[in-house]
Amino acid sequence: MSALATEALEVACDAIDMGLTPRDLRDLIVILKLASFIDPVLLPMDVVEKLVAIASSDAETLDSLIRDFKQLGARTASATMSYYGAPADVEEILKTLTVISKLSAFKEVKTARRDEALEISIIGSWKTEVTSKLIKAFMMGAFEILGYDIKEAYVGVGSLKVLVTPKGK
């Protein structure tokens, strides 16, 4: 048992050296578990941007891609609800997902409460508005399953801000 404790402490120390907290480690484990439901593929952002540019070369293909991202968001939210339970605590989920900002193209994820609404701001390393639109579509699919509506959205190059409210409010 002491070997397991020693290994756990070594991993925790390595993570802290990399700028992660113990909570980040727990959140990362949750993210990896949830990701196993959607079979993600890790690609450099410049490759993703090239694929998006090719795939969005005409309006019909772009519309199809947006629908696909919305469906992926819904699938991801369903997996998330299976982990967290329903109804899901969106703020808890977002706290968990902010660890992604340390490991992905999401460089900063911020949340702020505005009455019954939740404002989510994401700054990323992507370089096109199309990629921002795809991330928004993903979020729309996810929040729809989680029981929320996106009331407002700002989509820019490398940034996205949405205001979500519980459905019917």
Side-chain angles (χ1 to χ4, degrees):
M1 190 61 153
S2 65
L4 178 61
T6 301
E7 186 174 354
L9 284 172
E10 286 175 4
V11 169
C13 289
D14 288 346
I16 290 168
D17 287 346
M18 290 186 272
L20 298 171
T21 67
R23 161 93 191 201
D24 292 338
L25 287 176
R26 183 189 100 17
D27 293 345
L28 182 58
I29 291 166
V30 170
I31 289 167
L32 291 173
K33 175 70 176 163
L34 294 173
S36 70
F37 293 107
I38 59 170
D39 301 324
V41 176
L42 196 58
L43 292 172
M45 196 61 202
D46 60 333
V47 173
V48 171
E49 291 283 352
K50 287 177 187 175
L51 292 172
V52 166
I54 292 166
S56 64
S57 58
D58 66 79
E60 186 178 326
T61 308
L62 178 58
D63 289 344
S64 176
L65 198 55
I66 287 171
R67 281 191 305 275
D68 290 346
F69 268 73
K70 189 172 180 182
Q71 288 175 339
L72 179 60
R75 278 182 45 212
T76 304
S78 293
T80 302
M81 286 177 63
S82 73
Y83 182 82
Y84 283 99
D89 180 352
V90 171
E91 289 186 76
E92 183 63 27
I93 292 168
L94 289 170
K95 282 181 200 169
T96 299
L97 295 180
T98 56
V99 76
I100 290 177
S101 67
K102 297 179 181 181
L103 305 167
S104 72
F106 291 180
K107 298 304 174 194
E108 186 176 317
V109 178
K110 290 184 180 179
T111 60
R113 183 59 69 189
R114 285 174 56 197
D115 298 320
E116 291 189 28
L118 188 62
E119 183 179 85
I120 304 161
S121 302
I122 301 171
I123 296 174
S125 63
W126 58 92
K127 298 172 181 69
T128 68
E129 194 169 318
V130 171
T131 303
S132 294
K133 288 179 182 177
L134 294 175
I135 294 167
K136 177 187 166 201
F138 177 93
M139 292 177 74
M140 288 177 73
F143 281 112
E144 189 175 291
I145 294 295
L146 295 171
Y148 286 77
D149 291 318
I150 292 182
K151 294 291 185 184
E152 298 173 19
Y154 163 79
V155 176
V157 175
S159 64
L160 178 65
K161 184 184 285 189
V162 297
L163 188 66
V164 297
T165 59
K167 284 190 185 227
K169 299 221 177 187

